[in-house]
Structure formats: structure tokens, C-alpha cells
Amino acid sequence: MLSWTSKICKENSREDALFCKGAMNLLFSLHVAHKSPVALLRDLSQDIHGHLGDIDEDVEVEKTNHYAVVNLRTAAPTVCLLVLSQAEKVLEEVDWLITKLKGQVSQETVSGETSSGWCARSREGSSVHQGPAWTTA
């Protein structure tokens, strides 16, 4: 289903904003379920940039055509808003992951400071290794 949707978006240049929005939403939904959307966001951003140009008029923009559904009529605001929305979701996930990892590092640091040596004993008397610091099971 992902490859079919991707093929539709890559090969069909339609100026219908509603079709574009529906196809792109389906592509994002399917893509995120199977792989990271970062490469997709990059390709779409390059297509948008190629159609709309650069804010600096002196910069020459290489026009790419990864997705034919991105054209002069659909690049702004339809595809641009969808790409920005998806990028915001990715950044929220990255922020959540960073917060979670900081919490784990803090717990490991506190656990490592309270235990003697590399091994902490659990209530049952066995030790468990989880990563660089030993923690209780």
C-alpha cells in the first residue's frame, strides 16, 4: 500500500488541492507506520523549495521533482503546511525521547551513586545488569 501511494504521489501531477492533501496525508500515515519520515520530509521540502524559490533572490535553487503531486499550485500552502505539521510531530517525538533518555540517565546516575561498586542487590539477592550501570531488578 505504501509503495502504491508513493507511486501515485511521484507520478501524478494534479493541481487539485483536495486530492493532493488526501494523497499526502495517506502517504505520511503509511510512511510513518513503516519507516522514519525524515527522508520523505526532506524530499518534499526540496520539491517545495524548487517550486517556490528561495527567500534570497540571489540564491539559485535546484528544482527537484521527487513527487509530481508537488507543483506550483499545490506547493503552497497545501504541501507546505502538511510538511510543517509532520515535521512538528517528528520534533515532538524527538523531544519526548530526549526527555525520557535524560530521565533514565538521571535514574542510573542516582542508582549508581547509592549502590556500592558496580553491582546492586535486589530483594531476592540476585544482581541484574542493564547497560553501563548495574540496577536492581
Side-chain angles (χ1 to χ4, degrees):
M1 185 76 168
L2 173 60
S3 60
W4 177 80
T5 306
S6 182
K7 183 178 179 182
I8 294 292
C9 292
K10 286 181 178 183
E11 296 176 359
N12 291 295
S13 178
R14 300 192 47 182
E15 293 188 359
D16 182 5
L18 287 177
F19 170 80
C20 178
K21 185 176 181 180
M24 296 307 301
N25 275 327
L26 180 59
L27 180 63
F28 281 129
S29 297
L30 294 171
H31 204 277
V32 168
H34 297 286
K35 21 178 154 170
S36 171
V38 175
L40 175 63
L41 292 172
R42 182 200 61 225
D43 291 346
L44 289 168
S45 297
Q46 288 174 345
D47 289 351
I48 293 167
H49 194 212
H51 285 287
L52 300 181
D54 198 271
I55 194 167
D56 184 357
E57 293 177 7
D58 295 335
V59 173
E60 187 176 328
V61 178
E62 179 184 341
K63 190 170 183 178
T64 60
N65 195 21
H66 298 104
Y67 291 89
V69 76
V70 180
N71 54 54
L72 195 55
R73 177 136 163 75
T74 61
T78 307
V79 179
C80 188
L81 290 175
L82 291 170
V83 166
L84 290 173
S85 175
Q86 289 298 315
E88 181 180 27
K89 289 178 184 177
V90 169
L91 291 174
E92 286 172 358
E93 290 177 6
V94 169
D95 188 43
W96 174 84
L97 181 61
I98 289 171
T99 302
K100 183 175 179 172
L101 290 173
K102 283 181 179 179
Q104 287 179 348
V105 168
S106 295
Q107 284 180 336
E108 289 177 1
T109 302
V110 169
S111 177
E113 290 173 358
T114 59
S115 66
S116 57
W118 280 87
C119 185
R121 293 280 186 190
S122 70
R123 290 180 211 160
E124 295 80 29
S126 63
S127 59
V128 178
H129 178 260
Q130 294 179 345
W134 290 86
T135 59
T136 58

